[in-house]
């Protein structure tokens, strides 16, 4: 995967994150560069100005977010199944 494709995939994945997770991504960006613009609609960052180590850190964060969501979804499913097994056996 080319660096450009990698950054496009990163952009697509960032769009799927929650507002709180967006804030964390912005904190990562701020650690690596001051080349961004704040506007009423959010923060604008040129993918061309992001150092590769910043991209890598954001990718790791997104992987963490996805893993946590899967864990939470699995936990919720277990809780629901347990609740149903307790309350439907009466």
């Amino acid at each position: 995967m080319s660096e450009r494709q990698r950054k496009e995939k990163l952009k697509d994945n960032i769009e799927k994150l929650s507002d709180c997770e967006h804030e964390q991504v912005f904190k990562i960006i701020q650690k690596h560069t001051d080349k961004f613009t704040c506007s009423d609609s959010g923060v604008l960052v040129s993918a061309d100005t992001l150092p590769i180590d910043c991209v890598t850190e954001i990718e790791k964060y997104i992987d963490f977010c996805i893993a946590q969501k899967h864990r939470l979804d699995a936990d919720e499913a277990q809780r629901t199944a347990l609740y149903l097994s307790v309350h439907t056996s009466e």
Side-chain angles (χ1 to χ4, degrees):
M1 177 181 311
S2 74
E3 186 176 328
R4 189 74 186 145
Q5 290 171 323
R6 187 176 170 192
K7 289 179 179 180
E8 281 296 319
K9 181 180 177 190
L10 185 66
K11 177 186 159 287
D12 292 340
N13 287 334
I14 289 172
E15 289 175 356
K16 298 174 188 173
L17 299 177
S18 70
D19 289 346
C20 181
E21 292 164 337
H22 284 163
E23 290 176 22
Q24 295 303 315
V25 169
F26 181 55
K27 287 179 183 179
I28 294 169
I29 291 169
Q30 285 180 303
K31 284 187 349 185
H32 294 276
T33 186
D34 61 356
K35 296 178 182 173
F36 54 85
T37 303
C38 295
S39 71
D40 291 340
S41 61
V43 177
L44 306 172
V45 180
S46 170
D48 296 333
T49 65
L50 288 179
I52 200 66
D53 56 331
C54 179
V55 171
T56 301
E57 188 173 347
I58 294 170
E59 288 171 334
K60 288 179 182 178
Y61 177 71
I62 290 172
D63 290 343
F64 168 79
C65 291
I66 291 169
Q68 287 299 99
K69 180 165 178 20
H70 288 155
R71 284 188 199 112
L72 289 171
D73 290 346
D75 184 58
E76 181 66 27
Q78 283 181 324
R79 289 172 187 256
T80 300
L82 181 59
Y83 176 84
L84 292 174
S85 71
V86 169
H87 290 356
T88 57
S89 63
E90 296 174 359

